[in-house]
Each structure stands twice: as structure tokens, then as C-alpha cells.
Amino acid sequence: MKKHLTLILFLFTFLFSYGQKTSLSDISKVESPKGFAEWWEHYIFGNSDSAYIALPKERFMISANLLLSGIYNKTINRIPILDVDVDYVANSGLCSKWSIGAAFRNLKVNYSRNISGTYGRDFSIGLYGKIVGGEVQWQSYENVATTMHAIIAGHNLTIDFDENSSLNNVKVDRFLVNLYYVANHKKFSYNSAFAQAFIQKKSCGSFIAGLTYIYNEIMADNLVIDAIYGGATPIYTTHDIAIGAGYAYNFVSSNRHFMAHISAMPLLKYTIKAKIKRENAIDESSHYVEILNDEIDAFNNKHFNLRPSCIGRVALLYTVGRYVTGVQGVYNYFWSGDDKGLAISTNTWQARAYFGVRF
């Protein structure tokens, strides 16, 4: 995991540097914090069309946020050696939390904490360049409501567990890196909708391209599933990479106070690795999980497993002087793996209402 993270962060930094007009070597001339801020502004603004995009005079922004989020996660595991099929659904329902955010120009950090629901933790870093940029995000859900459906030797078994059940414990962790490229970067600002480091002055659209890395980890701990896996708690993991293209549009009102953004990006996703781990195993003599992992690897090596996925975003914001208020929403659909061994279908959505002040 650390190796993948290091490579992704390096790519993240390299891509952001691509295409900027001001040279990175100019930073050697910086002699003060104010000088660095001025250099950074020239660097990120580059050769933008000032009739369409502008930088606010204030460099910093802080915001208070209310987050509403949810996840619907389905894990499908076929175990031919035992004549068992397991479908495991985790549904968080509606979760809410407060968060605070801080930004210096196009670098943005958010930290969140629960108000209600089972949304465990959330931390994100965004670097929204005018040509390329993206975001890194960690999300976790714990003890959410689940439904387990199993077919054991031809017999159907379905059990529902609510989020307070002592017989069921589920934890869903997701690590995601989204990178984007804006074709019409001289006139269109993706940043203005999601980081407010730029100001979109006129309505404009652009074709966009994206590269996404997703890591899913689902721990499914209940008495029935533990028994199926030889007295052990299964942990389903997938590593995926996706590439796609779409379109984004910013609508700006005539008085420039109101802006609306909408974008959609269909993706094709490739599963790099799908694996099942066992935790706290009682029966160490059972090795069918290792056999199943070998079968999953053999299948993936013989098949170029592409799955359709998508990311959609909307944003509405209203600006008066230094004050910005608005809402943002993002929907992700990802499908990992293959039904013949291990597959994970994930739907996540997040809406954020915020009030920010530039200074």
C-alpha cells in the first residue's frame, strides 16, 4: 500500500507541474513568504484568459461545512471448492458530519468528524490546478447495516443485520486518488467550482479526462461468514485503476455572483489485484482461501477485466465580496473484480454545504 501511495503522490505532483507557464526554476529567486505567494500566483495562473478566469485578491480561505454522505457496497464471492456463493451488502444509510476546511490558493485540506450515522473518518487533500490536478481521499464506514445472502450446496440463506447488531461487525475502508486534465484550461476553471481559488467570470465548458486509483478493503465479521471461512474473518481487498473522459460546464450569472457546475466522466476500470485475507483464523488447516486467491489470480491473468464506472459532480455557489456559500455533490460508481471469484460493487455519494471566508 505504501509503495502505491508513494508512486501516486509522485505522479500527482508531476502532473500538476505539467503545462504551467512560469518555470519551477524561478522559485530560486524567492526571498520571502510574500515573494513565494506572488510566485505561486504567477505559477498557477499561467497563460489563462483573464476575460474568463481571475484570481481573487485574497490568498487564503477557511470554511465551515456540513457533510451528508452514504455508501452502498456489495461484495460477491464465489467459492467453488465449498459449493458456496456469498453476497454481502453494506449500506450506511444517511450519515452526517461537520468539517472544517482551509485553503491556500489551489491547495485545499478538509478534516471531518461525525455528527450522526456510521461514517467513521474522512480526510482529503486537493490540489486543483487549472490544467491538471486532483484529490486524495480516505474514507471509512464502521458497523453499518448489512445483508448477507448465501447459497450453500443449493440452499438459500438470507440474514439481515442492523447497525446495532452485536453479531455483525463490518468495516469499509476506501482510499481514492482522482487526477484530471482540462482541455480548455485557458478559459474554463474546474478549480472555481471546488476550491474557489479561481473565479470563473463567464460561462464556459471543457472536455475533461481523468485517471483514478481506488483501493477497497471490506472486513465482514459475523458468525455465519466466519464459519464459512473456517472460523476466520474475511477481509476483501481490491486495487483498481480507471481512465475516462467526459465534459464539464460552468454557468455564471450576469452579475457574476452565482455559479453552477455540472460534470460527468464515464470510466473504464481495470482490476490490478483482488484478494481475500483471513484474520483471527481458528482452523489453520483450511487452505481453500489461498486456493481461491490462486484461482482469482489465474483468471485475472488470462482475462483483461474491464468494468464500466463513472464519476459525476455538481456545484452551486454564491459569492458576495469575501464571502462564499454553496453546495457541492459528487457521486462515484465503481465495479471491481469478476463474479467468478471476487467482485465488489461500490456506490458512494457525498454532499457538502459550506460557508467560507477569504482573507
Side-chain angles (χ1 to χ4, degrees):
M1 181 64 185
K2 292 181 179 179
K3 179 180 178 181
H4 286 103
L5 179 59
T6 301
L7 291 173
I8 289 165
L9 292 178
F10 174 79
L11 179 63
F12 190 76
T13 304
F14 172 78
L15 285 176
F16 178 74
S17 301
Y18 168 76
Q20 305 293 349
K21 186 177 180 180
T22 306
S23 172
L24 281 172
S25 63
D26 291 344
I27 195 172
S28 61
K29 303 174 184 177
V30 173
E31 297 179 351
S32 66
K34 182 179 179 181
F36 174 80
E38 292 174 349
W39 170 84
W40 185 252
E41 288 169 4
H42 288 295
Y43 180 70
I44 64 175
F45 196 67
N47 58 349
S48 300
D49 188 336
S50 59
Y52 282 82
I53 303 174
L55 279 172
K57 64 180 181 179
E58 299 86 8
R59 296 188 173 109
F60 295 91
M61 180 174 173
I62 56 173
S63 63
N65 316 284
L66 172 65
L67 292 177
L68 298 175
S69 65
I71 186 171
Y72 181 89
N73 195 102
K74 183 174 183 178
T75 303
I76 302 171
N77 188 203
R78 309 300 184 213
I79 312 175
I81 195 172
L82 296 180
D83 193 16
V84 172
D85 294 345
V86 177
D87 292 357
Y88 189 69
V89 173
N91 186 2
S92 69
L94 179 66
C95 305
S96 59
K97 64 196 319 186
W98 63 263
S99 74
I100 55 174
F104 168 66
R105 286 306 188 198
N106 61 330
L107 177 62
K108 188 174 185 178
V109 178
N110 279 303
Y111 172 76
S112 305
R113 188 176 178 86
N114 274 2
I115 297 175
S116 65
T118 51
Y119 197 0
R121 63 180 182 270
D122 183 293
F123 180 74
S124 63
I125 301 174
L127 191 57
Y128 299 96
K130 71 184 187 73
I131 303 175
V132 291
E135 56 205 358
V136 179
Q137 187 178 66
W138 290 264
Q139 288 182 315
S140 177
Y141 294 81
E142 298 182 40
N143 299 326
V144 302
T146 62
T147 298
M148 189 210 75
H149 177 68
I151 303 175
I152 303 174
H155 299 284
N156 286 286
L157 175 66
T158 300
I159 305 176
D160 294 317
F161 300 93
D162 64 30
E163 60 270 20
N164 299 314
S165 175
S166 60
L167 302 177
N168 179 68
N169 177 33
V170 62
K171 183 179 179 183
V172 181
D173 285 313
R174 188 174 72 112
F175 172 73
L176 182 141
V177 179
N178 272 329
L179 303 175
Y180 68 82
Y181 168 80
V182 177
N184 188 19
H185 51 265
K186 292 184 179 181
K187 296 182 178 181
F188 173 84
S189 173
Y190 188 87
N191 178 304
S192 62
F194 294 98
Q196 292 82 50
F198 292 88
I199 297 173
Q200 186 79 54
K201 298 166 67 176
K202 294 182 181 181
S203 298
C204 189
S206 176
F207 287 101
I208 54 175
L211 179 67
T212 299
Y213 168 79
I214 313 105
Y215 172 76
N216 278 310
E217 182 176 291
I218 299 98
M219 182 191 74
D221 182 13
N222 67 56
L223 294 178
V224 179
I225 291 184
D226 287 0
I228 292 174
Y229 288 90
T233 299
I235 301 175
Y236 309 105
T237 63
T238 57
H239 296 262
D240 301 272
I241 191 168
I243 189 169
Y247 191 79
Y249 189 80
N250 288 341
F251 168 79
V252 181
S253 65
S254 58
N255 60 12
R256 297 181 181 175
H257 290 305
F258 173 77
M259 193 189 87
H261 169 94
I262 185 169
S263 61
M265 185 185 299
L267 299 160
L268 279 178
K269 188 156 68 62
Y270 172 70
T271 300
I272 302 171
K273 183 76 173 178
K275 186 177 181 180
I276 305 168
K277 305 177 190 175
R278 296 198 311 159
E279 188 175 80
N280 303 321
I282 297 174
D283 181 8
E284 293 293 349
S285 64
S286 175
H287 298 291
Y288 66 83
V289 172
E290 288 76 10
I291 295 172
L292 182 58
N293 281 329
D294 291 339
E295 291 178 352
I296 293 171
D297 288 341
F299 180 87
N300 288 335
N301 289 334
K302 293 179 181 178
H303 299 81
F304 193 69
N305 187 14
L306 290 176
R307 292 279 190 172
S309 300
C310 70
I311 299 175
R313 296 178 183 272
V314 295
L316 303 172
L317 61 109
Y318 192 83
T319 305
V320 179
R322 297 187 299 120
Y323 304 99
V324 185
T325 186
V327 293
Q328 299 173 358
V330 59
Y331 170 78
N332 295 312
Y333 170 74
F334 298 116
W335 182 271
S336 305
D338 190 274
D339 295 356
K340 295 184 181 298
L342 174 63
I344 297 176
S345 171
T346 303
N347 292 268
T348 64
W349 57 271
Q350 185 181 89
R352 181 173 76 97
Y354 64 93
F355 177 77
V357 181
R358 292 190 176 111
F359 63 96

